């Protein structure tokens, strides 16, 4: 099933190796990739996941395999205490994206402007988070895993380097950093080989959930034990992240009223747009160097074909993230009048799975601006053309930065004011903190 060489690294591999450009090496080619034996090539990650679950690349065989998975329910643990505790080292993975070593791979990752498509990076991170979670729950006695592990939340992605070079090798590393009874937090890091060493590019935290073979109810995962002070610190951070997510959920503007300070912000925006000639609540005037929020939208439509399915016969979460990011980026680019850089991805919530054959509606909205920063919210929903019903599946939050000051975004309605405050909250969490 899972090759120990691929999934379980030795204690020596847990420690970062010293990487230097060897004799004859080309710039951007890392020695560990030039050797031709990386621990795991990025193109193989989804193949490994299919082996773990028993899925097939063929559409008809894949459907049969998913039906047969129902028989694996008897292999599920009845409680978490029935499962052996694992360490963070047990789930550690290193995955290579050899853009420098394999030029033929670059085209999939390149934009017209010869930059790296960050949407593709999001797809790779999503697949890696799932594989890391399966590494944590790996049971060598089972031919196939009875667990269905899916992405519940992208807690945060922090960019440490805005410029990702198109012809330098990339390495992803990651491991499980915290677990609940049925949930798993996976931390991942992306670095790129430059000037003879790997330089950090981003840090990502994903939250995964484990469910039964038919993806209908929650399933228990192995507990996580600390192996040293560094592991203990990561466990404490995981607990803090969980508490923060619960607190944010309880204080959502969809549940409670804005704070006193936020109400003053909204009222100040309203007063700043009053028409002083009419002195009327209905008379609104757009201030200089500003844009009405209703004029800062961009929408898209995707027909969800079987090609974009994941190993559980639903639309791949990484595909959804890529499409939402590209729409959000295009909106920020149009709004600011130049190509923006991504600062952070924050709080991507997967509320419902997207079925194959769905009509997926994506709506991007610039909801907050400050100086050179643009906060974009992308709302994803499935539309049933027969019943005319809309169901929200995902909400995405992106923070971009422009190379110049951008116009102020101005809400006009109460609903837009709530979007403005929500965007301001996400901006404060990602940039000011």
């Amino acid at each position: 099933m899972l090759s120990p060489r691929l999934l379980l690294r030795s204690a020596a591999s847990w420690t970062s190796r010293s990487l230097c450009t060897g004799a004859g090496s080309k710039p951007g080619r890392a020695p560990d990739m030039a050797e031709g034996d990386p621990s795991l090539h990025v193109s193989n990650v989804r193949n490994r996941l299919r082996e773990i679950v028993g899925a097939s690349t063929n559409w008809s065989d894949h459907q049969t395999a998913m039906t047969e998975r129902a028989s694996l329910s008897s292999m599920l643990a009845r409680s978490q205490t029935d499962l052996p505790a694992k360490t963070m080292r047990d789930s550690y993975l290193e995955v290579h994206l050899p853009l420098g070593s394999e030029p033929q791979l670059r085209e999939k990752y390149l934009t017209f402007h010869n930059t790296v498509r960050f949407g593709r990076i999001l797809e790779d991170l999503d697949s890696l988070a799932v594989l890391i979670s399966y590494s944590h729950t790996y049971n060598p006695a089972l031919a196939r895993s009875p667990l269905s592990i899916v992405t519940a939340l992208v807690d945060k992605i922090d960019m440490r380097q805005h410029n990702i070079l198109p012809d330098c090798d990339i390495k992803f590393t990651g491991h499980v950093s915290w677990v609940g009874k049925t949930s798993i937090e996976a931390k991942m890091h992306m670095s790129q080989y430059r000037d003879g060493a790997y330089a950090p590019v981003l840090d990502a935290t994903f939250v995964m959930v484990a469910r039964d073979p038919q993806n209908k109810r929650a399933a228990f995962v192995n507990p996580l034990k600390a192996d040293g002070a560094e592991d203990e610190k990561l466990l404490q951070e995981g607990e803090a992240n969980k508490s923060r997510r619960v607190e944010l959920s309880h204080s959502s503007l969809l549940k409670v009223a804005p704070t006193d300070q936020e109400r003053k912000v909204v009222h100040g925006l309203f007063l700043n747009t009053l028409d002083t000639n009419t002195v009327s609540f209905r008379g609104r005037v757009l201030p200089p160097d500003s844009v009405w929020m209703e004029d800062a939208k961009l929408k898209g439509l995707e027909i969800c074909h079987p090609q974009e399915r994941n190993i559980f016969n639903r639309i791949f979460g990484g595909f959804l993230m890529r499409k939402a990011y590209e729409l959000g980026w295009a909106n920020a680019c149009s709004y600011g009048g130049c190509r923006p850089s991504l600062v952070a991805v924050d709080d991507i919530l997967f509320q419902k799975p997207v079925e194959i054959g769905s009509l997926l509606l994506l709506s991007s909205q610039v909801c907050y601006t400050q100086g050179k920063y643009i906060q974009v919210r992308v709302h994803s929903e499935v539309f049933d053309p027969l019943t005319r019903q809309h169901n929200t599946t995902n909400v995405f939050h992106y923070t971009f930065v422009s190379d110049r000051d951008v116009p102020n975004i101005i809400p006009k309605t109460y609903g837009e004011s709530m979007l403005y405050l929500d965007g301001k909250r996400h901006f404060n969490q990602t940039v000011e903190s």
Side-chain angles (χ1 to χ4, degrees):
M1 178 182 163
L2 300 180
S3 169
R5 185 181 70 83
L6 293 175
L7 295 184
L8 305 179
R9 303 301 302 270
S10 66
S13 297
W14 179 256
T15 304
S16 299
R17 288 178 287 173
S18 176
L19 298 173
C20 302
T21 303
S25 296
K26 294 183 178 181
R29 284 191 178 182
D32 50 352
M33 298 193 201
E35 292 167 2
D37 186 27
S39 54
L40 192 63
H41 193 288
V42 71
S43 63
N44 294 329
V45 171
R46 294 185 73 177
N47 292 332
R48 299 302 301 165
L49 290 173
R50 291 188 186 97
E51 294 177 15
I52 294 167
V53 174
S56 171
T57 56
N58 181 277
W59 173 234
S60 57
D61 293 342
H62 180 82
Q63 291 176 299
T64 302
M66 290 298 99
T67 302
E68 293 174 350
R69 278 185 58 80
S71 63
L72 302 178
S73 295
S74 60
M75 301 178 184
L76 293 173
R78 296 185 177 182
S79 70
Q80 192 176 43
T81 56
D82 294 336
L83 297 168
K86 299 289 189 71
T87 66
M88 296 182 189
R89 185 179 291 108
D90 292 327
S91 61
Y92 179 81
L93 280 180
E94 182 178 302
V95 173
H96 293 242
L97 174 56
L99 296 181
S101 303
E102 299 182 19
Q104 68 276 12
L105 183 64
R106 292 180 200 154
E107 187 168 338
K108 177 182 177 182
Y109 287 84
L110 290 185
T111 70
F112 171 78
H113 299 277
N114 200 37
T115 58
V116 173
R117 297 175 61 184
F118 189 74
R120 291 293 188 192
I121 301 299
L122 288 175
E123 289 183 324
D124 293 336
L125 287 171
D126 189 58
S127 295
L128 179 59
V130 178
L131 187 55
I132 287 172
S133 300
Y134 274 117
S135 301
H136 174 75
T137 60
Y138 172 58
N139 184 347
L142 301 179
R144 288 183 294 168
S145 173
L147 296 176
S148 298
I149 299 179
V150 296
T151 307
L153 174 72
V154 178
D155 192 14
K156 199 168 187 182
I157 299 177
D158 287 319
M159 302 300 299
R160 301 178 65 181
Q161 172 60 251
H162 296 306
N163 184 26
I164 304 176
L165 302 179
D167 54 357
C168 291
D169 289 337
I170 287 173
K171 178 168 65 177
F172 299 95
T173 59
H175 59 87
V176 170
S177 53
W178 176 87
V179 299
K181 289 186 177 181
T182 62
S183 58
I184 296 173
E185 180 187 89
K187 282 191 178 297
M188 295 167 287
H189 309 279
M190 172 180 160
S191 55
Q192 188 165 44
Y193 194 75
R194 305 179 183 191
D195 300 324
Y198 279 106
V201 175
L202 65 80
D203 302 315
T205 303
F206 281 47
V207 178
M208 321 300 291
V209 291
R211 301 179 67 80
D212 68 357
Q214 295 179 292
N215 199 9
K216 292 183 178 180
R217 60 182 179 86
F220 294 107
V221 298
N222 300 69
L224 182 65
K225 61 182 179 181
D227 185 16
E230 185 175 348
D231 287 8
E232 187 63 43
K233 180 181 178 181
L234 288 175
L235 282 174
Q236 293 174 0
E237 290 179 0
E239 287 290 343
N241 288 339
K242 177 186 176 183
S243 300
R244 172 179 52 81
R245 289 191 292 267
V246 171
E247 182 180 349
L248 289 175
S249 176
H250 290 165
S251 61
S252 169
L253 291 167
L254 294 172
K255 297 179 180 179
V256 298
T259 65
D260 289 341
Q261 182 59 38
E262 289 174 333
R263 286 195 286 267
K264 291 178 181 178
V265 169
V266 170
H267 194 63
L269 289 169
F270 172 73
L271 293 177
N272 197 38
T273 61
L274 282 181
D275 187 347
T276 55
N277 294 322
T278 63
V279 194
S280 168
F281 286 110
R282 293 185 178 181
R284 307 288 293 277
V285 176
L286 187 66
D289 195 27
S290 300
V291 175
W292 290 120
M293 188 178 285
E294 63 184 15
D295 297 326
K297 297 179 180 179
L298 201 60
K299 295 187 177 183
L301 166 68
E302 294 292 331
I303 301 176
C304 300
H305 296 291
Q307 181 184 13
E308 307 301 342
R309 71 185 185 276
N310 63 15
I311 55 177
F312 301 116
N313 232 21
R314 305 282 176 73
I315 294 301
F316 174 42
F319 170 79
L320 300 175
M321 284 193 281
R322 172 164 64 88
K323 288 299 181 179
Y325 168 78
E326 291 175 349
L327 182 67
W329 181 92
N331 198 9
C333 181
S334 174
Y335 186 86
C338 63
R339 297 172 60 81
S341 298
L342 180 68
V343 175
V345 180
D346 180 38
D347 195 25
I348 296 179
L349 180 62
F350 289 77
Q351 297 183 15
K352 291 183 180 179
V354 178
E355 303 291 345
I356 296 171
S358 299
L359 294 181
L360 184 69
L361 304 179
L362 296 169
S363 179
S364 173
Q365 173 72 73
V366 175
C367 54
Y368 182 75
T369 57
Q370 182 173 311
K372 298 180 179 181
Y373 291 98
I374 306 171
Q375 188 72 33
V376 179
R377 179 183 188 270
V378 179
H379 179 260
S380 166
E381 61 182 359
V382 170
F383 171 64
D384 188 333
L386 301 180
T387 63
R388 315 295 296 178
Q389 289 185 338
H390 294 253
N391 289 298
T392 298
T393 59
N394 304 82
V395 180
F396 306 84
H397 300 274
Y398 304 104
T399 305
F400 296 97
V401 64
S402 176
D403 60 4
R404 67 192 74 165
D405 285 346
V406 300
N408 297 314
I409 196 75
I410 305 295
K412 186 180 289 186
T413 67
Y414 185 80
E416 289 178 346
S417 296
M418 295 303 100
L419 285 178
Y420 181 91
L421 292 179
D422 187 57
K424 187 176 187 300
R425 287 182 178 184
H426 284 283
F427 175 81
N428 291 341
Q429 292 166 18
T430 57
V431 177
E432 294 187 352
S433 63

